[in-house]
Amino acid sequence: MVKSGYKRKTFAASEDLLNQLSTIAESKGLSLYSLINQVFTLAIRAEELNVNLEKTVDESDVLEQAKDSGFILIPEGLWREAIEEIHLKDESWASRKGFEAGEWLAKRCTSKSLKDPLGTFLFNLERSLWNIPEFNVKREEKRFFVRLVSPRLSKTHATLIGSMLEGALHAFGYAVTSRDFSAGTAWLLAEKEGDGTNIE
Amino acid sequence: MAPILSKERRDKQLIFVPGHLVDEIRDASYKAGKPFNVFVEEVFHQVLGSLSLGYSLEQFTRLLEVAHTQRLSMTLIPLEVLSYLTGKADQAELQAKWFEAGEWYGKYLCEKFQNPVQALKRLLEATRWDLDEIDVEEEDLVARFRCVSAILSLEETESLLKFIEGAMGSLGYRTEKNDHVKGIILLHFRHSKPTNRKGDT
């Protein structure tokens, strides 16, 4: 008996989809058979990695944006330990560096020809903070409220992210009128000042 | 994009695919709780979607690795904050943490991938955007790593080196040669327990 691995099997698929795949195969110098083999191998790989194919493109966009914005991926456990260690030596580092980082990230957005640089910044930041389950933004014409909630958020981490938001809002022309950075949550309320951004 | 579950009748076409792939896709569809044909059409739609955005299948496969990496307890932080931390931390302790993190990832990669050394290379490619070049060569029981970055400081270079050593240590390799300067890492490893390699009895 021939093992199934050496046999071909047939199945029926939408002619419309196959025509599209056939066009792509031709453009790549492949047969439709080869391309479908690759597609199936990809789908099996996604299953092995427990990754949703549909979300993969969206998630890759998050990382591309993060990469372009000057972020980097590091092990979370190491990150959490490192920030606390620095905090023991310098309690002001999180608010200081966070603010600077936020200003810089905001300036990146405003330097591009974006229709809504603040909206873009917040959208990308929310997607980057994938381990923060709650990220709420309430934006009115001249007022801005943002809140993050996560049971894993230490006070230092909350201060860092909150200060980053504060620095960004400052660059976008907002003044923070009240804030709270605590273990588990960070929120701030800001109001627009002047007519424009604070970009120098 | 045409609705996948439309009730419209569509013309169908028979295609040939290697039997083992069909079997594996059928298993995947069962796990996803979807009928085989629906699952396959969804896969086709998703892949067509990514190809329409300009990704090749090879790039899309790499995207899967990256998306998977997100689940490996990684977090995004501003690079300048990482640089600041690296400069301020006690170097011995920081390097020990990177080594430990590397050990953890090494163990995970060993369980998840047929070739964990190449998986480590892909992990570095997916996560270390501050690296300009990553080369990994394997020959018999020897593995050679070469990493180059124009922006890493000496401390950051040494932290990354410790991460790689930790990971390779978990995979059963010992460091034979360690050569590094600011922004460049050259590591040679040799597998220390050949009888424990994956797949061996």
Side-chain angles (χ1 to χ4, degrees):
Chain A
M1 185 174 178
V2 178
K3 292 182 183 177
S4 66
Y6 297 94
K7 286 170 63 176
R8 293 187 183 190
K9 290 189 178 178
T10 58
F11 70 92
S14 155
E15 189 173 12
D16 178 49
L17 284 174
L18 289 178
N19 285 341
Q20 291 182 58
L21 287 169
S22 185
T23 302
I24 290 168
E26 195 177 330
S27 72
K28 294 178 181 298
L30 297 171
S31 65
L32 178 60
Y33 176 82
S34 294
L35 180 64
I36 290 178
N37 281 359
Q38 290 181 25
V39 170
F40 274 20
T41 302
L42 181 72
I44 291 163
R45 186 79 183 117
E47 180 62 29
E48 286 171 354
L49 294 175
N50 196 25
V51 171
N52 184 306
L53 265 184
E54 190 171 5
K55 289 183 186 171
T56 295
V57 175
D58 283 341
E59 288 175 351
S60 73
D61 188 49
V62 171
L63 292 178
E64 281 299 312
Q65 290 292 332
K67 185 178 171 183
D68 286 344
S69 300
F71 280 79
I72 194 159
L73 276 166
I74 72 165
E76 189 175 344
L78 185 151
W79 163 244
R80 289 183 186 281
E81 286 181 30
I83 61 174
E84 299 304 332
E85 193 180 298
I86 299 298
H87 181 73
L88 289 174
K89 298 177 186 175
D90 179 2
E91 289 186 3
S92 69
W93 87 270
S95 55
R96 194 174 66 250
K97 285 308 289 185
F99 191 93
E100 282 173 22
E103 272 196 314
W104 188 84
L105 292 168
K107 285 174 187 175
R108 274 189 77 107
C109 285
T110 54
S111 66
K112 300 178 185 178
S113 302
L114 298 170
K115 193 176 173 185
D116 180 10
L118 174 55
T120 301
F121 168 81
L122 290 169
F123 178 67
N124 290 334
L125 182 65
E126 184 182 6
R127 293 198 300 170
S128 300
L129 298 175
W130 60 60
N131 41 18
I132 305 287
E134 286 187 47
F135 184 99
N136 302 312
V137 174
K138 191 173 177 186
R139 191 178 172 187
E140 296 167 6
E141 191 184 335
K142 292 196 175 182
R143 290 180 75 186
F144 192 96
F145 177 77
V146 61
R147 189 179 73 159
L148 303 99
V149 179
S150 169
R152 292 153 63 187
L153 207 60
S154 69
K155 184 172 179 188
T156 307
H157 201 181
T159 303
L160 184 66
I161 298 176
S163 298
M164 199 159 67
L165 277 163
E166 187 165 352
L169 287 170
H170 172 74
F172 284 121
Y174 288 81
V176 172
T177 54
S178 53
R179 68 178 73 71
D180 183 45
F181 306 147
S182 308
T185 184
W187 64 260
L188 43 82
L189 179 66
E191 293 188 1
K192 197 135 178 86
E193 55 181 6
D195 293 326
T197 64
N198 288 332
I199 303 294
E200 293 173 4
Chain B
M1 189 180 290
I4 296 168
L5 300 178
S6 167
K7 291 183 181 177
E8 294 175 16
R9 290 188 61 184
R10 292 212 191 113
D11 290 334
K12 298 285 188 184
Q13 185 177 323
L14 284 178
I15 56 169
F16 288 98
V17 181
H20 72 281
L21 283 181
V22 173
D23 294 342
E24 289 188 67
I25 289 288
R26 185 163 280 117
D27 288 344
S29 70
Y30 286 158
K31 285 180 191 170
K34 295 177 183 175
F36 175 80
N37 286 341
V38 168
F39 184 82
V40 167
E41 292 217 346
E42 284 182 359
V43 167
F44 285 169
H45 274 292
Q46 286 150 13
V47 170
L48 282 168
S50 73
L51 292 175
S52 71
L53 292 175
Y55 292 105
S56 65
L57 280 182
E58 187 182 277
Q59 286 171 323
F60 198 44
T61 306
R62 288 197 182 280
L63 292 181
L64 287 183
E65 307 274 354
V66 171
H68 171 67
T69 299
Q70 291 178 342
R71 296 159 201 269
L72 294 183
S73 297
M74 288 250 177
T75 192
L76 280 165
I77 67 167
L79 182 54
E80 64 168 286
V81 175
L82 176 63
S83 298
Y84 176 84
L85 282 183
T86 305
K88 289 290 180 184
D90 177 283
Q91 291 307 306
E93 282 185 29
L94 184 63
Q95 287 179 24
K97 288 191 198 333
W98 275 104
F99 186 88
E100 202 177 297
E103 284 188 311
W104 187 90
Y105 281 94
K107 283 178 188 158
Y108 182 87
L109 296 174
C110 192
E111 290 303 315
K112 201 73 179 174
F113 295 90
Q114 282 289 330
N115 187 335
V117 175
Q118 291 301 319
L120 176 59
K121 180 192 175 191
R122 291 197 296 275
L123 177 71
L124 292 173
E125 287 172 337
T127 61
R128 296 306 301 249
W129 306 316
D130 47 358
L131 292 176
D132 300 303
E133 297 173 38
I134 304 170
D135 293 318
V136 177
E137 292 174 3
E138 288 181 273
E139 190 180 336
D140 295 328
L141 301 177
V142 173
R144 296 182 196 87
F145 277 70
R146 178 178 163 276
C147 303
V148 177
S149 167
I151 61 175
L152 284 182
S153 66
L154 178 61
E155 292 82 6
E156 288 163 341
T157 303
E158 289 173 341
S159 292
L160 174 60
L161 186 154
K162 284 297 175 190
F163 179 82
I164 296 172
E165 281 194 323
M168 292 298 285
S170 278
L171 301 180
Y173 287 81
R174 56 182 164 77
T175 306
E176 269 197 336
K177 178 182 169 186
N178 168 357
D179 197 0
H180 70 278
V181 294
K182 174 178 169 299
I184 299 177
I185 292 171
L186 299 170
L187 287 166
H188 288 191
F189 299 96
R190 179 175 291 278
H191 204 279
S192 55
K193 294 180 182 179
T195 56
N196 287 344
R197 291 188 80 176
K198 197 168 181 153
D200 288 355
T201 56

